[in-house]
Amino acid sequence: MSLARATGIILAKELRTEFRSRELLVTTIVFVLIVIVLFSFTFDPTSSESRRFGPGLLWLAFLFAGSLMLQPSFLREQTNDTLAALRLAPIDPFSILAGKMAANFLFLFLVEIILLPVFAVLYNIAILPVLAPLVLVLALGTIGIATTGTVFSAVSAQARLRELLLPLLLLPVLAPVLIASTEATAGILRDPSELSRVWLTFLAAFDVIFLTAAWMTGEYLLEE
């Protein structure tokens, strides 16, 4: 079976599992919405202050969303030992990771798109004029979060303290992605708006490097 077809099957399985209950999506959206609202009431920012501090708060909220959504990536496979069954299937081991990465990206990106208008209203920021470059930065940053989060979720799935281990592994690695995404978003929301090619290149390079590393080590990452 080809890599693309196997990845599509895993992705379809993940989407069916989540949209059947929608527990993780709804919980994450509500949680991050509360975080954004609390930040808004705590800082009560003006429009100029929102352009300065808003990007950092926005990506901090997205980090919270990622922490919630990435943890169960491989915990679902613990029931009935389905991960072992997937590993025995005649497919490339990386397709299991790739399917879960794609699912995590779609879930996170959906949460971000839903929360972006709420952020714009609460923080008095016009996002429609800069929506295209903003979505581009969101996509590149979310690919980085989903890729690294899925890899470390696979690594920590068999650990006894996996709920503690995943954030400890993930946060130091994600720091460059969060910094680059925040700086790129700040430039877009600045008046006049500016899309930094330096930060875009950094995000794209980070995504390519981690995807390549996951492809090369996929078989070992899924070992017990």
Side-chain angles (χ1 to χ4, degrees):
M1 186 181 297
S2 67
L3 175 64
R5 184 180 178 189
T7 300
I9 292 173
I10 299 296
L11 172 60
K13 178 187 78 71
E14 294 292 315
L15 294 177
R16 283 197 306 269
T17 301
E18 177 55 36
F19 285 111
R20 186 177 296 130
S21 63
R22 295 186 293 274
E23 293 178 357
L24 189 59
L25 274 173
V26 173
T27 302
T28 303
I29 290 172
V30 171
F31 175 76
V32 180
L33 181 61
I34 292 174
V35 170
I36 290 178
V37 172
L38 285 178
F39 281 160
S40 174
F41 281 106
T42 301
F43 293 101
D44 192 21
T46 62
S47 180
S48 60
E49 290 175 338
S50 294
R51 296 179 185 276
R52 291 176 54 197
F53 303 117
L57 298 177
L58 183 65
W59 280 100
L60 184 60
F62 292 160
L63 176 61
F64 290 154
S67 300
L68 281 177
M69 301 197 75
L70 294 169
Q71 183 74 53
S73 292
F74 284 87
L75 294 183
R76 295 170 176 167
E77 313 301 342
Q78 300 295 324
T79 306
N80 299 323
D81 204 15
T82 54
L83 181 58
L86 287 173
R87 292 177 63 244
L88 290 172
I91 58 175
D92 190 324
F94 177 67
S95 62
I96 301 174
L97 284 172
K100 289 183 175 291
M101 287 175 186
N104 288 330
F105 168 78
L106 292 176
F107 294 149
L108 284 172
F109 197 66
L110 177 60
V111 171
E112 293 167 1
I113 293 300
I114 291 174
L115 293 176
L116 199 57
V118 179
F119 170 79
V121 171
L122 290 177
Y123 290 83
N124 194 25
I125 296 177
I127 61 171
L128 285 179
V130 294
L131 186 59
L134 186 57
V135 169
L136 176 60
V137 172
L138 288 178
L140 290 175
T142 306
I143 290 174
I145 295 174
T147 301
T148 55
T150 304
V151 167
F152 285 119
S153 179
V155 171
S156 63
Q158 304 294 332
R160 294 178 58 186
L161 299 176
R162 50 182 172 264
E163 292 82 3
L164 179 62
L165 183 60
L166 180 59
L168 290 178
L169 292 172
L170 192 58
L171 293 179
V173 178
L174 279 184
V177 176
L178 295 173
I179 293 172
S181 300
T182 300
E183 290 293 335
T185 305
I188 293 171
L189 297 181
R190 193 177 297 128
D191 190 17
S193 177
E194 178 185 3
L195 180 59
S196 173
R197 294 186 177 180
V198 174
W199 294 118
L200 278 183
T201 304
F202 180 90
L203 287 172
F206 184 96
D207 296 344
V208 170
I209 290 171
F210 265 85
L211 281 171
T212 304
W215 172 65
M216 295 176 64
T217 60
E219 182 177 357
Y220 307 102
L221 290 172
L222 297 177
E223 290 184 353
E224 297 183 3

